[in-house]
Amino acid sequence: MKRAFVYKDEKSYKFWWIDYSDCSFAVNYGKYGSIGKFELKEFDIEEDCQKEAEKLIRSKIKKGYVEDGNFNFFDRLYIDSDEYGLNPKTSHPRFAEHFSDEMYYSEGDEETPFGSDEGNDTLSFIFEAIRKNPNLDFSDFPRKLIEQDWEMEYIPVDTLDADKVKRMAADKEMDMIQSDMVTYATAFAQIKITGSISSELKERGIKAIKRLALIEGMPWNENEIQSKMIEDLQSFSFIL
């Protein structure tokens, strides 16, 4: 259940919302119009979660917060809690609904969008960048991260011909792997944070997954996770 509250006086205008269900809840709060701070709390039993959530709600009302039934949960940016990591409740509602498989919240499975070191680092860098600039250019982010921060060569996907990819990988395998992982991690990150994706980045993300599977020796060649990521990305319809 999601409930949002606002507080406004002569000096401040603040928001606070809570999303609670099962054995956890997430809260997001801060200056109205800002990204705010995200926190997550987990419980052993659902009843304790609900009691704590309702206690927090009563506390906010007592402090003068008023429930906002028209609060826009979609036109917002979502960032995971540093303490608890990836979670559906701290992801954009469209991402949580469409990318419901547990793999999208994995921080240890190399094959998933954010499970590899490259994917996890990409998401962390994006979180940091978007707090400084809410209008972050996601499409150009992979190139900037790889070339400016990691001082490697960004290699866009120009072909999915298996023989050409393998020949190219003979000289630039690591740069290609880094480029592909960062590219599709950025594509999923844009949806996770904003709830939408540019058509150009969506196409590049799909191609990056496909090219990575063609690089000889990669452990996820033609597997179910790769196919699932492509299928889910292709079917996501909220395009900028």
Side-chain angles (χ1 to χ4, degrees):
M1 177 182 293
K2 288 185 178 181
R3 297 180 67 181
F5 300 80
V6 296
Y7 177 88
K8 190 174 183 180
D9 61 19
E10 294 179 353
K11 297 181 179 180
S12 62
Y13 188 11
K14 299 181 287 185
F15 73 93
W16 181 89
W17 63 253
I18 185 167
D19 179 3
Y20 61 102
S21 62
D22 300 325
C23 295
S24 68
F25 67 68
V27 295
N28 176 217
Y29 58 91
K31 181 179 179 182
Y32 199 91
S34 71
I35 296 174
K37 184 176 181 180
F38 287 83
E39 294 179 354
L40 188 75
K41 191 168 184 179
E42 298 176 335
F43 300 81
D44 292 329
I45 59 176
E46 185 175 351
E47 183 180 3
D48 288 345
C49 176
Q50 184 171 341
K51 285 181 179 179
E52 181 66 19
E54 292 174 350
K55 178 181 177 181
L56 288 174
I57 290 171
R58 289 194 299 270
S59 174
K60 290 299 176 183
I61 293 174
K62 188 175 181 179
K63 291 178 180 179
Y65 280 76
V66 177
E67 187 159 10
D68 182 358
N70 296 315
F71 190 84
N72 190 339
F73 285 99
F74 290 90
D75 191 18
R76 300 192 56 77
L77 301 177
Y78 288 76
I79 294 178
D80 292 306
S81 162
D82 290 337
E83 182 178 358
Y84 286 95
L86 309 181
N87 192 279
K89 289 185 173 71
T90 50
S91 303
H92 194 283
R94 293 192 192 114
F95 184 91
E97 179 180 6
H98 188 83
F99 300 94
S100 58
D101 194 289
E102 291 182 359
M103 72 174 182
Y104 293 112
Y105 304 96
S106 170
E107 296 183 73
D109 191 330
E110 289 282 327
E111 304 170 44
T112 62
F114 312 118
S116 65
D117 289 341
E118 292 84 355
N120 195 274
D121 287 347
T122 297
L123 187 62
S124 296
F125 273 92
I126 291 176
F127 283 159
E128 181 181 350
I130 207 163
R131 282 200 176 277
K132 297 176 182 177
N133 177 21
N135 297 313
L136 176 70
D137 183 354
F138 281 87
S139 292
D140 197 39
F141 186 84
R143 181 189 62 79
K144 285 186 175 181
L145 178 62
I146 288 177
E147 294 186 351
Q148 296 180 14
D149 292 281
W150 295 356
E151 297 182 345
M152 299 179 71
E153 181 182 358
Y154 180 69
I155 305 177
V157 180
D158 293 327
T159 180
L160 288 174
D161 179 274
D163 291 333
K164 291 181 179 179
V165 169
K166 289 175 182 178
R167 285 198 297 271
M168 188 184 305
D171 296 323
K172 301 184 176 183
E173 180 178 290
M174 185 54 64
D175 289 322
M176 292 172 68
I177 292 172
Q178 299 282 316
S179 297
D180 290 340
M181 285 184 160
V182 170
T183 298
Y184 71 73
T186 301
F188 284 103
Q190 184 174 24
I191 304 171
K192 189 177 188 304
I193 295 169
T194 72
S196 302
I197 187 172
S198 70
S199 57
E200 185 262 348
L201 182 57
K202 177 180 177 178
E203 181 180 356
R204 283 168 53 201
I206 292 169
K207 287 182 177 179
I209 298 171
K210 290 181 177 180
R211 185 175 73 174
L212 192 62
L214 294 174
I215 297 176
E216 189 172 357
M218 295 305 290
W220 49 86
N221 291 14
E222 301 297 332
N223 72 8
E224 293 181 5
I225 291 180
Q226 176 212 9
S227 298
K228 177 65 173 172
M229 289 194 299
I230 292 172
E231 178 185 350
D232 288 347
L233 198 52
Q234 284 176 331
S235 61
F236 185 76
S237 59
F238 290 90
I239 307 299
L240 295 173

